Amino acid sequence: MIRLLSKEISEKIAAGEVVERPVSMVKELVENSIDAGASLIVVEIKNGGKTYLRVTDNGEGIPSNQASLAFQRHATSKISKADDLDHIGTLGFRGEALSSIAAVSRTEFITKTADEKTGTRLFISGGDLLEESVTGCPDGSTIIVRDLFFNTPARLKFLKPDATESSLIIDFVSQMALAYPKIKFRLINNEQPLFSTSGKGDRLEGIHTLYGKISSRKLIPIQFEHQEYRLEGYVSDPSESRSNRKGQVLFVNGRAINNKPMERGIDRAFAQRLFDGRYPVAYLFLELPPEELDVNIHPNKREIRFHKEPEIERFIENAVYQALQQLDAIPQVLNEKSLHKQQSEWLRSADTEPASINPIQVDIKSLLSTMREQQQIAETSILEFREEMQNDLINLSSDSLQSDRSQPVSNQSSDRRFHPEELRILSTIFNTYILAASDDTLFLIDQHAAHERVLFEKIMAQYEASEKNRQTMLVPFSLNCSIGHAANWEAWIDEISKIGFSLSLFGPNTLLVKEIPFFMTLDGAQRFLSDFLDQLDDMHSPPDRRIIEKAASRACKEAVKGNESLTGEEISELLKSLSKCDNPLSCPHGRPTFIRLSQSEIEKKFRRT
Ligand code: ADP
Ligand code: MG
C-alpha cells in the first residue's frame, strides 16, 4: 500500500538529491526491483545511461489505482511511521526516487501485479503526468528513463563522458549481482549484452563472471556466525594482494557500502600476513539486525553507521582471522596450464546458461579495468574448484567474540586448522627449505621465515605474560642511547620491561642492562634494544604494544639466518613451535612460511588425470 509520508517523517529523512547521475538512478531502480521481490532484473543503458536507461523486473508490480501515487514525493509503501526508520528491512524507504527521477527526465513506467489482468502505463515528463493508460504486459515493472536532465541542462554538463558513467553503472550492477546471487541479473550496454548471472545462488560463479581476474583457488571461503551477526564470502589468500582497496567489495544487509569498521577488521586479520601497504581482495557480505545500523545518514544511502562499531570490527577480524588459519590460506603451487585447459573445456560444456560466460565477458572486463588496477588474469576452472570448496567449506561459529582469537573458538574450527607438527618431514633442500608432507599434500617450509615467526611470537607471548622469564647477566652490559632517550626514559621503560629486560640509567646517554629475556642471546638482546630505541624515534605516540611488535619483527629478521642446515630434531622442534604459534602461516613481515602442492596438482603435471 503506497501512501504519502506525513510531514513529520519526511522531515526526518536525510535531505538531499537522489538523482545525481545515471548510476544513482540505476541504484534506486534496482533497489526498488529487489524490494519488489524480483527474481529477474534487467538493466539496459545507452550512452552511459544519459539518453536511455531501462530497468525491468518480474517483481510484485503496483496495482493500477496506486501507480501514479508512486511518483509523488514522499510516497512509499515501505514505512509509515517515524519508528520504522529505526529498523529498515527494505533497501528503499525514502519515497523519493521515482518522483525525483521523473522530475528530471521523460519517464515511462509499465507495471502489473499478478492479480490484475491488465497493466498500467504512465508517461511522465519533467514531473508532469502526461498519460495514464491500460496496457497488456507481463507481471512486474519496467521503467524507462529517457533524456536525463533534459530540463536542467546545467546538471547535464556535470556528467562525465559516457564511458565513465557506464563503467560506474557496470560496477554497481556487478556488485548487486554478487550480493544477490539468487536474483538473475542481466546488463545490456548500447544494445550489447554485457553479462548475465544464473540466479542459482552461487556466489563463486558470480565472482568469476563479474570479476574474472582472480583465480578462485586463491579465494578462501568464509562462513561465520556469531549471535545475530553473519558473515559470508571470500577473501584472497595472502599470496594474492593489491596495492589499494579496489579489490574489496563489502556489503552490509545487501547494500554495497564503503565502511571503515569492516575495512579495519580485514586489515587487522591480515596484519602480519601481508606486507605493509598491501590489501587482500575481499568479497564480504555482512548481515545484522536492521536496528543495529543507521542507513538514514546519507541521501544516497551510500553510507551507513553501525551502532556497535567496535563489535562489528572485532567480528569481522575474528571471522577473517579464523579463515586465514585454514589450510586454504597456504599459497598453492598452481598448475596454470592445465587449469587453462580445463577452463576452456568447461566453457565449451557450459551452454546451459548461454550468456553467463561468453565473449561478452571480454567486454565487461575491459570496461571494468578502467576502474580497477590491471591485474594479471589468473584463470582457473570454477567447477573443479567448487567441488574442492564444497569439501573444504569452513563453517565456523564463535562462542564468544571477546575470547582470545588464538583459542580455537569451536571444535569445528580446530578440525580445519592446519597443524604443522603433524607433517611428515622428508628432507631439506638448498639448506633453506624443509620438505614435508601430509597424506595428500607436499609442503615446502621456509625455515628462515618459520624461525622468525617462532621468535616473534615468543617475544610477544612474553610481553603478554604476567611472569617474565629472564636471565641475569653475570656482568651487566652498557648500551649507548641518545640524551633524549635517557631524559625521557620513564616514558618507555615499562614497555621494554614487559618483555623481560631490566635496565637502569647509567649516565646522561648510557643504559645499564642487567637482565634480558631468557630466549635471547646477548647479541640478540643488544640488537633488540637498539632496534627498540630506533623505533622510539619513529613513533609519534606514546610507546605501546606496537612499538614492541615493530622492534620484535626487525630483530627477528636479523636474528635468523637462512642457509643453515638443521638436524632432523631441530626441524621437528621448529614445526612443533610453529604449531603453537597463533599465526604460523607467515613470518612477521608477511612472507609465507609454507607453500603447498597438492597430490592432484602433481598428478596433473604428470598427466595422470
Ligand atoms: P521507496 O523505494 O523509498 O519507497 P520510491 O520512490 O523508490 O520510494 O518508490 C515508491 C514506491 O513505489 C515504493 O515504495 C513501492 O511501493 C513502489 N515501487 C517502486 N518501484 C517498484 C517496482 N519496481 N515494483 C513494485 N513497486 C515499486
Ligand atoms: Mg526506492
Side-chain angles (χ1 to χ4, degrees):
M1 173 62 182
I2 303 178
R3 36 186 132 51
L4 289 177
L5 291 174
S6 71
K7 196 155 170 277
E8 176 218 359
I9 314 175
S10 56
E11 279 169 359
K12 274 198 160 184
I13 289 175
E17 196 54 64
V18 184
V19 190
E20 214 173 28
R21 58 197 324 161
V23 69
S24 28
M25 293 196 295
V26 174
K27 177 172 185 295
E28 294 295 334
L29 298 175
V30 167
E31 288 184 352
N32 279 349
S33 297
I34 293 173
D35 285 344
S39 61
L40 169 70
I41 300 176
V42 181
V43 178
E44 176 171 6
I45 56 172
K46 287 176 192 165
N47 305 104
K50 294 175 194 170
T51 56
Y52 182 95
L53 190 162
R54 169 174 73 96
V55 177
T56 295
D57 68 50
N58 63 352
E60 63 189 10
I62 305 180
S64 59
N65 60 354
Q66 292 186 22
S68 63
L69 186 55
F71 283 84
Q72 289 198 31
R73 190 130 192 261
H74 298 310
T76 180
S77 57
K78 298 168 193 173
I79 58 173
S80 59
K81 41 190 200 306
D83 257 9
D84 294 345
L85 279 175
D86 297 333
H87 34 84
I88 289 165
T90 49
L91 294 170
F93 60 88
R94 305 165 50 89
E96 285 191 320
L98 292 187
S99 61
S100 312
I101 291 169
V104 292
S105 66
R106 302 185 221 273
T107 299
E108 188 179 343
F109 188 65
I110 299 160
T111 187
K112 177 175 127 41
T113 63
D115 302 342
E116 291 178 309
K117 289 218 171 58
T118 54
T120 312
R121 180 174 174 277
L122 303 177
F123 192 78
I124 303 161
S125 179
D128 300 325
L129 179 62
L130 300 185
E131 188 189 319
E132 177 163 2
S133 56
V134 172
T135 179
C137 62
D139 296 350
S141 309
T142 286
I143 182 162
I144 300 171
V145 181
R146 293 187 179 88
D147 307 325
L148 180 65
F149 297 149
F150 78 96
N151 52 354
T152 52
R155 293 172 70 185
L156 195 57
K157 278 199 212 115
F158 269 105
L159 297 182
K160 298 271 185 320
D162 292 2
T164 313
E165 296 295 344
S166 62
S167 61
L168 288 173
I169 294 172
I170 292 165
D171 216 43
F172 172 76
V173 181
S174 306
Q175 292 188 353
M176 292 310 268
L178 204 57
Y180 293 88
K182 294 200 174 128
I183 299 178
K184 256 175 186 261
F185 278 88
R186 194 166 297 155
L187 179 60
I188 303 160
N189 182 30
N190 292 332
E191 306 193 331
Q192 257 244 343
L194 281 194
F195 67 77
S196 93
T197 59
S198 72
K200 288 181 185 149
D202 188 340
R203 273 211 174 111
L204 198 58
E205 179 215 277
I207 291 173
H208 222 81
T209 308
L210 305 162
Y211 298 89
K213 292 172 190 171
I214 181 166
S215 155
S216 355
R217 290 184 174 236
K218 296 195 163 176
L219 291 175
I220 307 165
I222 294 183
Q223 243 184 35
F224 196 83
E225 243 173 274
H226 173 72
Q227 289 168 358
E228 293 182 286
Y229 301 158
R230 203 184 135 71
L231 187 75
E232 233 191 82
Y234 297 88
V235 291
S236 58
D237 85 35
S239 70
E240 181 79 24
S241 64
R242 305 277 191 266
S243 59
N244 57 36
R245 284 192 198 280
K246 286 192 182 149
Q248 301 187 349
V249 181
L250 307 178
F251 284 81
V252 180
N253 287 2
R255 297 170 198 275
I257 272 154
N258 291 336
N259 76 79
K260 295 285 169 224
M262 282 183 79
E263 287 177 357
R264 280 196 300 266
I266 297 172
D267 288 353
R268 297 218 322 227
F270 269 89
Q272 296 179 29
R273 297 301 299 274
L274 285 177
F275 291 113
D276 276 356
R278 300 295 299 178
Y279 301 90
V281 174
Y283 306 102
L284 292 178
F285 305 86
L286 173 66
E287 298 286 338
L288 74 171
E291 55 276 14
E292 283 200 23
L293 65 157
D294 189 352
V295 290
N296 188 26
I297 60 171
H298 188 277
N300 282 327
K301 298 169 285 181
R302 239 180 258 143
E303 279 170 36
I304 51 161
R305 195 177 294 134
F306 294 107
H307 294 318
K308 300 183 183 160
E309 234 175 65
E311 281 85 350
I312 299 294
E313 191 175 322
R314 229 182 352 253
F315 171 76
I316 300 289
E317 177 185 356
N318 238 298
V320 176
Y321 187 87
Q322 297 294 336
L324 285 177
Q325 298 309 305
Q326 317 298 318
L327 186 67
D328 303 309
I330 300 177
Q332 282 197 82
V333 181
L334 285 184
N335 195 342
E336 301 292 350
K337 220 174 178 179
S338 73
L339 289 178
H340 187 86
K341 187 166 149 259
Q342 272 167 16
Q343 183 174 42
S344 46
E345 273 165 16
W346 180 73
L347 285 177
R348 246 176 285 130
S349 66
D351 51 6
T352 40
E353 274 301 319
S356 69
I357 295 185
N358 61 19
I360 292 150
Q361 215 194 349
V362 177
D363 193 352
I364 178 172
K365 267 187 206 152
S366 64
L367 277 157
L368 285 170
S369 66
T370 60
M371 308 192 55
R372 296 202 179 78
E373 57 172 333
Q374 275 297 338
Q375 282 286 336
Q376 204 194 345
I377 300 171
E379 295 186 312
T380 186
S381 146
I382 308 171
L383 282 186
E384 188 203 356
F385 175 71
R386 190 177 304 138
E387 245 164 53
E388 225 170 78
M389 199 72 105
Q390 249 135 28
N391 303 331
D392 287 4
L393 198 64
I394 309 163
N395 200 341
L396 304 172
S397 66
S398 73
D399 295 323
S400 163
L401 267 185
Q402 318 306 330
S403 74
D404 181 353
R405 64 183 188 184
S406 64
Q407 305 296 319
V409 284
S410 70
N411 294 334
Q412 273 168 302
S413 76
S414 47
D415 285 343
R416 289 285 310 144
R417 210 188 136 105
F418 173 59
H419 298 286
E421 88 274 21
E422 288 168 7
L423 299 180
R424 207 153 17 92
I425 299 163
L426 306 175
S427 170
T428 52
I429 51 171
F430 315 137
N431 272 344
T432 306
Y433 305 102
I434 300 163
L435 256 141
S438 67
D439 287 346
D440 59 1
T441 308
L442 179 70
F443 293 88
L444 277 171
I445 302 145
D446 179 335
Q447 72 185 45
H448 183 212
H451 263 135
E452 278 186 23
R453 165 54 59 190
V454 170
L455 185 56
F456 177 82
E457 294 211 4
K458 262 191 198 149
I459 298 174
M460 295 320 294
Q462 170 106 317
Y463 179 85
E464 303 288 354
S466 49
E467 291 282 308
K468 313 293 177 191
N469 288 317
R470 311 162 189 271
Q471 40 181 327
T472 307
M473 302 278 92
L474 281 178
V475 185
F477 65 90
S478 61
L479 191 80
N480 283 336
C481 66
S482 72
I483 293 179
H485 291 148
N488 242 334
W489 89 309
E490 272 157 357
W492 51 263
I493 186 70
D494 283 352
E495 288 302 308
I496 193 79
S497 305
K498 282 187 195 160
I499 60 168
F501 283 100
S502 136
L503 37 88
S504 56
L505 214 50
F506 191 68
N509 59 353
T510 311
L511 300 167
L512 196 64
V513 183
K514 295 174 207 149
E515 289 178 318
I516 63 171
F518 78 103
F519 49 82
M520 279 190 192
T521 60
L522 184 59
D523 252 18
Q526 283 170 333
R527 251 195 326 260
F528 187 90
L529 283 172
S530 65
D531 277 340
F532 174 79
L533 294 174
D534 288 348
Q535 291 297 324
L536 273 181
D537 296 332
D538 297 345
M539 298 276 286
H540 302 291
S541 48
D544 58 9
R545 191 180 202 277
R546 274 175 308 155
I547 192 166
I548 298 290
E549 270 180 11
K550 284 214 162 122
S553 87
R554 286 252 300 259
C556 291
K557 198 177 208 160
E558 290 158 21
V560 188
K561 299 271 171 278
N563 293 345
E564 216 176 282
S565 69
L566 299 178
T567 64
E569 216 162 288
E570 285 170 324
I571 295 174
S572 65
E573 228 10 80
L574 180 61
L575 293 188
K576 237 184 250 158
S577 312
L578 265 182
S579 293
K580 291 195 196 115
C581 286
D582 281 350
N583 212 339
L585 301 184
S586 71
C587 84
H589 316 97
R591 269 190 298 279
T593 44
F594 290 82
I595 54 178
R596 65 184 162 127
L597 180 58
S598 66
Q599 185 178 359
S600 62
E601 283 298 326
I602 294 173
E603 280 167 356
K604 259 177 248 153
K605 272 278 186 230
F606 284 112
R607 300 181 203 285
R608 278 169 164 271
T609 49

